[in-house]
Structure formats: structure tokens, C-alpha cells
Amino acid sequence: MAGPCSARLQGDVSAFTSALRTLVNNPQFSDVTFVVGPEQQKVFAHRCVLACRCQAFRGMLAQVPGGSQDSSSSVPAQGPFILGNVQPEVFLAVIEFLYTNSVTLNNHIALEVLTSSVEYGLQDLCKLCVKFIKDTLSVEQVCEALQAAVAYGQTDLQQHCLAFIEGCTAAVVQTQGFRELSDVVLARVLRSDRLAVDELDLVQAVREWAHVSSAVLERPVPEVAALPVRELRLPLLAPSELVTLESHNQRDLLIPVESIAAAWRAHALRKGSGVPSRLCRPRRGTRPRDHHRHLEPHTK
């Protein structure tokens, strides 16, 4: 006699997802409410869905009066929960993912949804955000995306953003996003040999960045710019350009005198002696200058 057998059969996933989608922000049968964003928009949800899909929400919703936790409690969570630092559209995208395992993204919210995915520990949502950001990257948004990728340790997205910047550097350095980069991330960009822009233009872009950062952080220009300025390849500039640079530098002290002196020394000795070899390597977009041939042995 044949023994008992069993099998797990899969029904129509799309129908199941569509049914759950109707519960997103639906007050019917909702047992938890969030008040989201500066506009205090109400978002309705269901404790059981949030708790089984997200550990962060499980911890939040398990709170019961008296400060203790009882994850098995069937008592509705106290609320509403106030989430003032997230935009409603962003929070609703997170909720949509928790209910349907899919998410609707656009360029305006993708980076913020990425931030929320990290905060809530939603790795699959994070991957979807990264894919969308990579597929829709633009000159205007690439620096903000790079900043987020560094902040959240998204190595693949970091590399993708850097390659994008290397391909259209001249346009990127003109954007507001470039001026809002942190000093650490800007220095990382400036270490690249493949930036498609001349060094003189990079110096000007860093100067504009430094003045914006100085005003925002209320710190002197030389202080905020100390890290990225070390990556400027001043020996690549011609003598006449260094003279102009010194003149501009008297106004804001962007570049340490020692760095300019090292560039002059490289010209005087007709070699990159005493200068880190990386600062003598022409970038992909560096305009050729006569003295570069004397630096070539030091760029290998």
C-alpha cells in the first residue's frame, strides 16, 4: 500500500499580490495608524503584516503599556505612531513593499526609500532601490546617489556612480549635487585617473564647492577643503596657470602654500621629485601641456 504523499502547490501569485495591494493604506480592518511627515498625513496599516515582514516594525508594534514587550500580544498597538522625518510618499512605498514584495519608485523618492530600507533592515527593498537608481542615474542626481551609496556601504552603487561621473565629469561638477558632496566623498572622486575634465576646471569646481561648504558649515574655506585639496594635481598645471592660481589663492587660502610650492618645484626640477606620483598622473580629461613629458617617468 502506497504511503501518504504531500506537495506544496503554488497558486496565482499575481492575484494574491493584487489582493494584498488593496489593503495598502486602507482604513478598513486597519489596527495601526501612522502620522507621517510635516503635513501629518495618516497612513493606515495592519499589525500582523508589518510585524511578520519587518523586524523593526515588529519591535515597534510589540510595545505594550508599561514599557515591556510581548511579541505574542494580540492587544492593538498604542498609537498613532508619529513619523515626522519621512515623507508620506516614501513611507507608503515601504508599506507597499511590505504588503506586495514590490515597490513603485520614481526619481524623486528613490534615494529616500533607499534610506528607509536601510533604517528598517529591508535588504530586498534596498536591492530594488539600488537597481532603480542605477538604471535611471542622471547628471543631476549622480552625486547625491554616490553620497548615499557611501553612507550605506553600497559598494556596487558606489562603483556605478563613480563610473558615471568619470564619463561626464565636466557636466557633473556644475551641478548642485556636486557642491553638496561631503569632503570625504569628494576626495574619493578626485582620486580617479579617469575624470573627463581638465585639472584647471577641477580646481575651480573644488573652489566653488569649498565656498558653499564653508557657508553651510560655518567653517573657514581652508578647513573644509583640506581633504579634497590634497587630491588636486597641481603639477599638471602650466606655469602661467600656477601664477593665476596663486593670485586667486590669496583671497581664500583654498590651497596650502606648501602644495603650490611643490608644484613649482616640479617645474623647476623638470620632474615630479618630492611630489606624490599620483599627483603627477594626467587624468583622462587632462589637456596636454609641454611640461607633462617631464612628468611621464613618474606617472608609471
Side-chain angles (χ1 to χ4, degrees):
M1 181 177 179
C5 63
S6 65
R8 177 177 295 170
L9 306 179
Q10 183 71 57
D12 186 350
V13 175
S14 62
F16 179 76
T17 299
S18 297
L20 279 178
R21 192 180 300 277
T22 65
L23 297 180
V24 174
N25 198 23
N26 188 339
Q28 188 175 28
F29 306 122
S30 168
D31 54 11
V32 62
T33 304
F34 298 89
V35 177
V36 184
E39 51 274 275
Q40 299 186 328
Q41 178 177 324
K42 285 186 176 182
V43 174
F44 302 95
H46 307 80
R47 294 178 70 216
C48 60
V49 176
L50 302 188
C52 75
R53 289 279 286 152
C54 177
Q55 187 63 38
F57 278 114
R58 183 180 182 87
M60 181 192 303
L61 298 173
Q63 297 289 340
V64 296
S68 63
Q69 286 192 347
D70 179 6
S71 59
S72 64
S73 173
S74 60
V75 178
Q78 300 298 304
F81 291 92
I82 309 299
L83 302 176
N85 295 325
V86 61
Q87 295 299 321
E89 188 178 4
V90 172
F91 186 69
L92 283 169
V94 174
I95 296 297
E96 177 192 6
F97 173 78
L98 294 178
Y99 278 72
T100 68
N101 209 41
S102 62
V103 63
T104 303
L105 296 173
N106 59 56
N107 289 329
H108 300 295
I109 67 169
L111 287 171
E112 292 184 70
V113 176
L114 174 63
T115 298
S116 292
S117 73
V118 173
E119 292 175 347
Y120 290 121
L122 300 171
Q123 291 299 317
D124 287 345
L125 177 57
C126 181
K127 292 176 183 178
L128 292 176
C129 290
V130 167
K131 183 181 186 307
F132 178 85
I133 293 167
K134 289 169 62 176
D135 290 346
T136 61
L137 209 54
S138 67
V139 167
E140 291 73 21
Q141 291 188 313
V142 64
C143 288
E144 187 180 0
L146 176 60
Q147 187 72 51
V150 172
Y152 304 132
Q154 297 295 319
T155 304
D156 183 49
L157 182 56
Q158 290 179 43
Q159 295 172 347
H160 190 86
C161 290
L162 183 56
F164 188 98
I165 291 171
E166 289 170 341
C168 48
T169 317
V172 170
V173 299
Q174 300 297 322
T175 65
Q176 184 65 28
F178 180 85
R179 298 184 184 95
E180 294 176 352
L181 285 173
S182 71
D183 59 341
V184 172
V185 176
L186 176 56
R188 184 173 301 190
V189 171
L190 294 176
R191 292 189 192 109
S192 172
D193 292 338
R194 298 186 57 78
L195 297 180
V197 68
D198 186 64
E199 205 66 25
L200 194 61
D201 297 323
L202 269 184
V203 171
Q204 180 59 32
V206 171
R207 170 167 275 115
E208 293 174 4
W209 168 90
H211 281 269
V212 171
S213 296
S214 175
V216 170
L217 300 175
E218 298 182 341
R219 291 162 50 196
V221 165
E223 184 178 328
V224 300
L227 190 60
V229 159
R230 295 175 195 166
E231 305 302 329
L232 291 175
R233 304 181 182 186
L234 302 183
L236 298 178
L237 301 181
S240 60
E241 294 168 331
L242 283 175
V243 170
T244 302
L245 179 64
E246 283 185 304
S247 175
H248 292 166
N249 205 55
Q250 292 175 3
R251 306 171 193 168
D252 56 19
L253 303 178
L254 171 72
I255 301 173
V257 173
E258 297 81 5
S259 298
I260 298 178
W264 278 118
R265 188 163 57 250
H267 279 280
L269 298 176
R270 300 178 70 81
K271 59 182 180 179
S273 178
V275 180
S277 60
R278 74 180 191 281
L279 301 184
C280 296
R281 280 199 302 269
R283 305 181 196 268
R284 186 163 64 122
T286 301
R287 292 194 296 270
R289 294 163 174 84
D290 289 341
H291 72 284
H292 287 178
R293 66 181 184 276
H294 302 300
L295 299 176
E296 287 177 2
H298 302 275
T299 65
K300 294 180 180 178

